[in-house]
Amino acid sequence: MNTQKPHIIDGINELKQISEWKTMTCLTGMRPTGKLHLGHYVGALKNWIEMEKIPNIRNYFLIADYQALGDYLDDPEKIRQSVKDIVIDWLSVGLDPKKSCFIVQSYVPEFAELAFYLNMFATYSEVMRNPTLKDEIAKIEKRESNNGISIGFINYPVSQVADILLPRGEIVPVWEDQIPHIELARKIIDRVNKKTGTDFPLPKALLSDIPRLTGIDGKEKMSKSLWNAIMISDSLPEIRKKVQKMYTDPNKTSVESEWNVENHVVFMYLDIFYEDKEYIRNLKKRYTEGWPDSIGDGELKQILVATLDAFISPIREKRTYYEAHLEIIKEVIDSWATRFRTEAKELLLELRAKMKIADYGA
Ligand code: TRP
């Protein structure tokens, strides 16, 4: 265990150990702001697929459309489409709604009710100190066309505490930028427990051991809004176009400077997506040693296009199937919402009773 940071679990192997003897609940989520890309796959979905295989873990995967209202209030169509796309992406990469609970936040209005109560336990200063929130506010303020920052947006870290608490989440798989939100969740839930006498679990973050995937620009982490992403739904021509655009080595600025395979963007992707690591070692050797067995960027890129297409094409095929069978998507969302609401109502009844709300006639 990480003794300095008891609220952090370092990687899936530690999770396997601590869940060996007891059932644990994991909750994690995504804002529906577009289709998913390879960065989501490498840094999140791949881990989630592993988590589904751990026997004692109950997984809740949340599509946080309430939270997305903070960014896209004026573009409801984008949120609607993204919710569908994300469920399709999840099913297509192999997440299994028979094993895990897929929740769309707005189908369970209990999230909003719980967030409302939790707001009373959160202090203004601790929310405003949250570094992730501060960064996001600064980014919005820099945009020319911003209509101000809504209270709903400021409130999202607290609403995220409700996301975790409603299924009584104990483990929250996240990227590092979300750690302040987990710390806030622990503070608020602890306060609720102390003030009202509930005994809700204090969540821990499960950090992915894979660093965030760098985009095709070789600079920033992969993100759709930075135009450096390869989507898990991209067609072969789209993959080809993007791989062609890759800087092979952002540090090689002149003909004389040395090739450095460690910073080489094409190799970075091959390292992750090409199964046979020995083959890649050999390619690197040919690339750096040159004549007589040299290999150039053009050929490397062709290998990468084929590699990524081999990875993406089965996902793409499944996507095509689900797009033609949207009734399956609807059924997954509806049936989980119904089941989960029963649990959610129980938690709210318990909390309302402890808070002595709506108990005035007795
Ligand atoms: N804020 C997360 C993101 O932007 C999404 C999210 C919403 C979430 N609710 C959550 C993550 C609860 C973990 C737990 O990616």
Side-chain angles (χ1 to χ4, degrees), residues 27-31 62 64 67 160 163-164 172 174 178:
L27 173 122
T28 189
M30 287 181 176
R31 282 184 210 183
L62 174 76
Q67 195 175 106
Q160 197 159 308
D163 298 346
I164 298 169
V172 190
V174 280
Q178 301 285 307

Side-chain angles (χ1 to χ4, degrees), residues 79-234:
I79 300 181
R80 263 174 64 80
Q81 188 55 47
S82 303
V83 170
K84 271 189 234 162
D85 274 327
I86 290 183
V87 178
I88 294 177
D89 280 336
W90 286 358
L91 291 173
S92 304
V93 298
L95 289 174
D96 182 355
K98 287 198 202 74
K99 292 192 187 137
S100 308
C101 176
F102 289 20
I103 322 172
V104 177
Q105 203 175 24
S106 62
Y107 278 53
V108 184
E110 285 75 15
F111 280 115
E113 185 180 346
L114 180 58
F116 175 83
Y117 298 138
L118 295 181
N119 276 327
M120 303 302 168
F121 293 87
T123 73
Y124 175 76
S125 60
E126 75 196 349
V127 173
M128 297 314 291
R129 267 201 310 274
N130 183 309
T132 301
L133 181 68
K134 274 204 218 154
D135 277 359
E136 286 165 321
I137 292 176
K139 273 195 200 130
I140 299 175
E141 280 174 341
K142 261 198 229 146
R143 277 187 221 144
E144 295 230 336
S145 60
N146 84 75
N147 306 316
I149 288 151
S150 68
I151 295 292
F153 184 81
I154 301 264
N155 181 242
Y156 98 77
V158 182
S159 129
Q160 197 159 308
V161 179
D163 298 346
I164 298 169
L165 178 55
L166 200 57
R168 300 175 199 259
E170 298 166 272
I171 310 288
V172 190
V174 280
W175 277 314
E176 235 152 38
D177 62 341
Q178 301 285 307
I179 297 288
H181 298 336
I182 306 296
E183 288 166 357
L184 182 74
R186 292 173 68 89
K187 266 195 218 155
I188 295 179
I189 296 172
D190 186 49
R191 207 170 287 147
V192 171
N193 286 342
K194 291 202 169 109
K195 281 187 196 284
T196 71
T198 49
D199 186 20
F200 297 139
L202 304 187
K204 292 175 187 232
L206 168 65
L207 277 186
S208 163
D209 26 30
I210 307 150
R212 289 186 88 157
L213 184 64
T214 307
I216 58 171
D217 54 3
K219 292 181 191 133
E220 309 274 350
K221 65 183 189 219
M222 188 174 277
S223 156
K224 201 177 173 207
S225 57
L226 297 173
W227 304 103
N228 66 1
I230 297 179
M231 313 310 287
I232 58 176
S233 46
D234 274 351

